[in-house]
Amino acid sequence: MKHLPVLATAMTLAMTVTMAEAKTFVYCSEASPEGFDPAPYTSGGTFDASAHPIYNRLTEFKKGTTEVEPGLAESWEVSEDGLEYTFKLRQGVKWHSNEKFTPTRDFNADDVVFSYERQASADHPWNQYVAGITYEYFNSMDMPNLVKSVEKIDDYTVKITLNSPEAPFLANIAMPFASIISKEYAETLEAAGTKEDLNNLPIGTGPFKFVAYQKDAVIRYTKNAEYWGTAPLIDDLVFAITPDAAVRLQKLKAGECHLMPYPAPADIDGIRADSNLKLDEQAGLNVGYLAYNTTIAPFDNAKVRKALNMAINKQAIVDAVFQGHAEGAKNPIPPTMWSYNDAIVDDAYDPEASKKMLEEEGVKDLSMKIWAMPVQRPYMPNARRTAEMMQEDLSKVGVKVEIVSYEWGEYLAKSMEAGRDGAVILGWTGDNGDPDNFLSVLLSCDSAVEGGANRAFWCNEEFSALLKDAKVTADPAERTALYEQAQVIFKDQAPWYTIAHSTQYVPMSAKVSGFVMSPLGDFTFETVDIAE
């Protein structure tokens, strides 16, 4: 046997001890990210892989709440008229590095201005750095019209001036789309002719550094030792991409991952009974829905949409698809959210009345497509099964349904295209705890454009006017009354078939501690630990 020098042997032992002590946390995620730049996307799976581990925002949400707290901005002042927000930026915040980039400076005001302006202006050189991307959140929230200017006052002061007051503004900019990107990194990539790497090789200020991504398989991160906040308790983070809920559960039970999202409803009781696992749960701030394209006949007729809604047995879907771990939805916002209008009466399940209403509107031999999501989300555990049940129900009133689907990223992109055929099964988990985040983002005229989040392309001027009025007042009672009125119009016009509000469950190994469920459905891991 070859003998090692004493020094080499000592080094080897030290490395072995270090490796043994390193903690690797494996998360069995449900979907591949669309990219690692949070701004162009809206998928929760993408944000879990990008915005939360890698980046920060001026404001953040306090763990487990929708309460806004300082992030990259350590403080702020708001003018009396609600139009000017002056942010004092945190100093000494370090950017990540990789093989292509070593930062020469800390985070500063230049990065904030760059991050907002690239989304706001179609003429900005970094707006279309990946051909065809859209800034769905930024546009759906009417940020181009809301934000008048983003100004650097000095290296650590930024002033954002609005064209009108915006009650949820501080919460809005805590959302993933408002993550702050390194301007210096962007300039480095531009000089190298590799601008697309902003979306492939992310650099942020967050608790974890991006290491590598094997498409549709695994994402690797490592602890950011220079993180400005409380340092993560684990050394390495791995996303094991596992679209099938049954396979995720198998991996969890086998110890191949420590935590998983979105268990199949039928597995909940078994998970709860397994002593090697534990289960966190809370009411989800979400809604699942079927969005008609209200610009195309006969779906441009509210009575036809109402008739189709009456043909679908909602309770049967809640029982079969959600296994009872949800409640039927009648409004576009969940009952746990303030301003929920409980006085609204849901459309009754009444196939005979549905058939009669279709006949009265001259609709015969209707054929339509229902789009079924290819992935599980908290608001929809099995879209294919849901679509099949809708297909069967609608056949009883003479409507022929074809079920279609696409890969998740393609599904999201195609469902936003103007002129899209068919009705789309989708849903939403709130991003900031404000009703505006559901109603304006998903249903306003501003978001009813190609590239917006309004998959029904529904534009009701009275409805949108109520939302605009609600945003410019800070009075909670006044805002509540306006949102309650808006829900009445929504129900009368029926741009969606509202399906369910689900309970959110998170199974994990009994060895895991420190995981905090988010009311916004986020999965973040800087506070988790693993028992030896």
Side-chain angles (χ1 to χ4, degrees):
M1 173 185 279
K2 184 176 179 180
H3 294 281
L4 294 172
V6 173
L7 179 60
T9 304
M11 289 176 63
T12 302
L13 288 170
M15 288 175 63
T16 302
V17 170
T18 301
M19 290 179 66
E21 291 178 348
K23 290 184 179 180
T24 299
F25 188 93
V26 182
Y27 169 56
C28 278
S29 63
E30 83 289 0
S32 301
E34 301 151 277
F36 291 93
D37 175 359
Y41 307 113
T42 63
S43 169
T46 296
F47 295 153
D48 290 340
S50 61
H52 302 311
I54 299 169
Y55 297 101
N56 293 113
R57 291 140 294 280
L58 292 178
T59 59
E60 305 271 0
F61 292 113
K62 187 176 180 180
K63 280 282 181 188
T65 77
T66 57
E67 178 186 340
V68 174
E69 66 178 6
L72 292 177
E74 62 183 9
S75 65
W76 51 84
E77 294 179 358
V78 185
S79 62
E80 285 189 17
D81 61 6
L83 297 180
E84 292 184 355
Y85 290 73
T86 303
F87 296 92
K88 288 295 182 182
L89 305 183
R90 198 176 296 277
Q91 298 188 35
V93 175
K94 308 297 182 184
W95 288 104
H96 303 163
S97 61
N98 60 26
E99 291 180 358
K100 295 187 176 185
F101 175 69
T102 300
T104 64
R105 63 165 175 81
D106 294 347
F107 153 78
N108 68 23
D110 292 328
D111 303 310
V112 177
V113 174
F114 170 78
S115 299
Y116 282 85
E117 287 189 344
R118 74 187 182 108
Q119 299 186 64
S121 172
D123 297 327
H124 194 282
W126 279 89
N127 184 273
Q128 286 294 300
Y129 77 96
V130 175
I133 59 172
T134 60
Y135 296 94
E136 185 177 333
Y137 259 124
F138 197 85
N139 292 322
S140 294
M141 299 175 72
D142 201 29
M143 294 287 278
N145 294 319
L146 173 67
V147 178
K148 183 178 181 180
S149 63
V150 181
E151 302 171 72
K152 173 184 176 179
I153 305 302
D154 58 43
D155 280 352
Y156 293 99
T157 309
V158 170
K159 183 169 74 173
I160 299 180
T161 303
L162 307 183
N163 285 310
S164 60
E166 178 86 354
F169 183 70
L170 290 171
N172 289 350
I173 62 171
M175 290 163 54
F177 82 93
S179 295
I180 304 302
I181 308 294
S182 167
K183 182 183 180 185
E184 185 185 14
Y185 183 46
E187 291 171 343
T188 301
L189 295 177
E190 187 168 13
T194 57
K195 292 175 76 170
E196 67 278 1
D197 280 342
L198 189 73
N199 203 27
N200 302 325
L201 302 172
I203 291 288
T205 58
F208 294 97
K209 294 181 178 181
F210 174 85
V211 175
Y213 173 41
Q214 183 180 345
K215 186 173 172 56
D216 299 330
V218 64
I219 314 169
R220 299 185 185 278
Y221 311 82
T222 190
K223 174 181 179 177
N224 177 11
E226 297 183 306
Y227 185 48
W228 58 268
T230 303
L233 299 172
I234 55 173
D235 300 291
D236 297 295
L237 174 64
V238 176
F239 278 38
I241 299 168
T242 314
D244 188 280
V247 178
R248 289 199 296 274
L249 184 56
Q250 288 173 4
K251 288 183 176 181
L252 182 64
K253 288 182 174 181
E256 295 175 26
C257 61
H258 297 101
L259 185 145
M260 63 169 278
Y262 319 133
D267 292 331
I268 297 298
D269 290 343
I271 293 168
R272 195 176 274 128
D274 190 328
S275 61
N276 294 315
L277 303 178
K278 58 183 178 180
L279 185 71
D280 285 359
E281 63 181 272
Q282 67 181 14
L285 197 72
N286 60 44
V287 63
Y289 62 82
L290 176 76
Y292 302 104
N293 186 339
T294 62
T295 66
I296 294 177
F299 309 107
D300 56 346
N301 183 338
K303 291 183 179 179
V304 171
R305 300 192 296 264
K306 280 276 195 185
L308 296 175
N309 286 357
M310 292 167 66
I312 301 171
N313 188 337
K314 185 173 299 184
Q315 190 58 49
I317 292 173
V318 170
D319 292 343
V321 176
F322 294 85
Q323 300 282 303
H325 298 290
E327 62 177 291
K330 62 182 181 180
N331 292 327
I333 63 174
T336 51
M337 176 166 275
W338 62 272
S339 82
Y340 179 82
N341 191 343
D342 199 32
I344 296 287
V345 177
D346 201 8
D347 296 318
Y349 169 55
D350 192 337
E352 289 303 317
S354 168
K355 189 182 298 184
K356 182 180 179 182
M357 190 180 296
L358 290 173
E359 290 174 355
E360 289 173 350
E361 297 305 310
V363 176
K364 293 182 179 180
D365 303 318
L366 176 61
S367 295
M368 64 179 290
K369 292 180 180 178
I370 289 182
W371 292 37
M373 300 158 48
V375 298
Q376 291 171 295
R377 301 301 301 153
Y379 49 74
M380 180 46 62
N382 191 332
R384 169 66 65 168
R385 179 67 182 126
T386 300
E388 289 170 350
M389 294 181 73
M390 291 177 171
Q391 180 185 48
E392 183 177 352
D393 285 344
L394 288 166
S395 70
K396 296 173 183 176
V397 298
V399 177
K400 183 178 180 181
V401 170
E402 175 189 357
I403 300 172
V404 298
S405 191
Y406 301 91
E407 179 273 329
W408 184 221
E410 187 178 8
Y411 185 97
L412 290 169
K414 284 182 174 293
S415 66
M416 295 191 301
E417 293 175 355
R420 179 210 74 224
D421 59 353
V424 174
I425 294 176
L426 258 175
W428 195 258
T429 297
D431 294 292
N432 62 13
D434 196 282
D436 182 74
N437 179 246
F438 282 76
L439 301 176
S440 287
V441 174
L442 302 178
L443 291 159
S444 69
C445 291
D446 290 327
S447 65
V449 295
E450 186 165 0
N454 185 340
R455 259 69 177 194
F457 302 101
W458 179 63
C459 177
N460 182 284
E461 296 291 352
E462 183 183 1
F463 176 88
S464 290
L466 289 168
L467 303 186
K468 288 183 183 295
D469 288 344
K471 288 205 292 185
V472 300
T473 177
D475 182 348
E478 187 176 345
R479 294 189 76 204
T480 294
L482 292 166
Y483 288 136
E484 287 177 345
Q485 291 176 52
Q487 289 167 75
V488 172
I489 295 172
F490 167 86
K491 202 63 188 179
D492 178 67
Q493 293 297 303
W496 294 353
Y497 175 75
T498 48
I499 302 171
H501 308 292
S502 69
T503 303
Q504 185 181 358
Y505 295 94
V506 180
M508 65 195 78
S509 165
K511 296 180 180 180
V512 173
S513 63
F515 179 76
V516 180
M517 284 191 76
S518 166
L520 308 174
D522 305 327
F523 285 82
T524 60
F525 303 103
E526 59 267 29
T527 60
V528 301
D529 201 359
I530 315 164
E532 298 299 330

